[in-house]
Amino acid sequence: MEIIKLEGIEKIYRTADIETMALENVNISIDKGEFVSIMGPSGCGKSTLLNIIGLLDKPTKGHILLSGSDMTGQSDRTLSKFRNENLGFIFQSFHLIPSLNVMQNVALPLTYRSGERGAERQRQVKDVLERLGLGNRLHHFPSQLSGGQCQRVAIARAIVGNPEIILADEPTGNLDSHKGAEVMDLLHHLNRDEGRTIVMVTHNEEQARQTDRIIRFFDGRQVQ
Ligand SMILES: Nc1ncnc2c1ncn2[C@@H]1O[C@H](COP(=O)(O)OP(=O)(O)OP(=O)(O)O)[C@@H](O)[C@H]1O
Ligand SMILES: [Mg+2]
């Protein structure tokens, strides 16, 4: 079953003096349960693509279908709700909130959800942090954690709401090779054992080879 489908996606960024064609006629289908890598040189549009799949940014042309629903033209409210319930993001630079502790950072995606009680949320947050080996860091602040620990907190936040789709933009880019390998093991576990669909941007050929498929970009276009 196709869980992600991009049809004729174009993205042009316009600033005062220059137009950038960040993506041009991109067509991609990803099946539920696939682990796909996106590769290509700096500036070729990989993060733009991930932001569009993740409904954080809109294409200037084309359609994006997630789980069969066309997201083009939906209201921001509908998009936020869909994003909150179905998508988990992992960014290269973690994007943790410095003034919130580990539990509060991880609980963020759940606070926008209705119907779940506080105690249940706390339990979910604790469970996922314990699974990621952070059970003894619940009340630390991001500035009191190592890079690898920050990335695991970011992963906990991405998966706490059980999203179907995980989008990871260079998730190991700021980690040493050992910590990076741990994060990759975790992503493979989420894919293999929990059936999550993963789209990962990476500059690492070896990591990409371990995924089901590599989509290569050059200058805003798919080349392979
Ligand atoms: N908000 C923006 N406004 C204007 N131009 C932008 C904006 N975001 C990205 N661009 C331009 O779009 C192109 C694609 O950028 P993008 O961030 O998607 O590249 P990337 O493949 O993720 O690169 P990297 O590997 O360095 O992260 C670049 O030329 C960039 O300068
Ligand atoms: Mg990028």
Side-chain angles (χ1 to χ4, degrees):
M1 187 198 110
E2 261 170 9
I3 192 165
I4 299 170
K5 191 168 171 67
L6 303 178
E7 297 176 340
I9 293 290
E10 172 197 276
K11 177 69 183 181
I12 300 176
Y13 288 111
R14 293 191 172 86
T15 55
D17 56 337
I18 192 166
E19 252 187 23
T20 306
M21 176 75 88
L23 294 172
E24 190 174 353
N25 191 25
V26 173
N27 298 283
I28 295 177
S29 279
I30 296 175
D31 282 336
K32 189 171 156 59
E34 262 196 292
F35 190 161
V36 173
S37 302
I38 309 282
M39 298 196 80
S42 179
C44 72
K46 305 179 297 296
S47 295
T48 302
L49 180 79
L50 222 57
N51 288 341
I52 285 176
I53 296 175
L55 309 174
L56 293 168
D57 201 355
K58 289 182 179 168
T60 40
K61 242 194 222 167
H63 289 268
I64 160 149
L65 289 86
L66 296 179
S67 302
S69 316
D70 194 340
M71 296 294 157
T72 333
Q74 301 278 3
S75 69
D76 286 345
R77 198 191 157 89
T78 306
L79 295 180
S80 303
K81 185 166 155 55
F82 188 92
R83 184 165 60 232
N84 185 241
E85 289 173 358
N86 300 283
L87 300 167
F89 290 90
I90 304 167
F91 301 95
Q92 176 180 0
S93 48
F94 318 139
H95 288 211
L96 298 177
I97 297 183
S99 59
L100 299 182
N101 72 24
V102 166
M103 279 194 77
Q104 291 165 331
N105 264 287
V106 173
L108 271 181
L110 300 180
T111 58
Y112 303 114
R113 293 192 182 185
S114 49
E116 273 169 50
R117 298 214 350 272
E120 166 65 9
R121 276 186 203 149
Q122 297 285 92
R123 196 191 52 73
Q124 260 175 280
V125 167
K126 254 189 169 156
D127 276 359
V128 71
L129 283 166
E130 272 160 15
R131 271 177 50 202
L132 293 179
L134 289 162
N136 57 356
R137 291 288 182 276
L138 301 180
H139 303 290
H140 280 57
F141 288 88
S143 62
Q144 300 169 320
L145 300 173
S146 71
Q149 289 168 339
C150 284
Q151 191 59 304
R152 276 183 285 153
V153 174
I155 292 173
R157 183 185 53 187
I159 65 176
V160 70
N162 291 318
E164 282 269 29
I165 301 172
I166 296 171
L167 303 172
D169 198 349
E170 300 186 46
T172 67
N174 276 326
L175 304 178
D176 66 36
S177 58
H178 176 69
K179 292 284 180 238
E182 279 179 16
V183 166
M184 287 309 297
D185 285 348
L186 192 62
L187 291 177
H188 281 289
H189 161 74
L190 289 167
N191 173 249
R192 209 181 315 108
D193 306 324
E194 298 192 8
R196 314 269 173 216
T197 306
I198 304 182
V199 184
M200 173 181 75
V201 170
T202 181
H203 286 287
N204 185 315
E205 285 282 349
E206 195 190 318
Q207 284 177 3
R209 271 201 304 275
Q210 293 164 12
T211 64
D212 297 328
R213 178 152 64 108
I214 305 177
I215 301 175
R216 289 180 199 274
F217 275 79
F218 190 80
D219 250 358
R221 286 179 229 204
Q222 273 159 276
V223 289
Q224 195 187 326

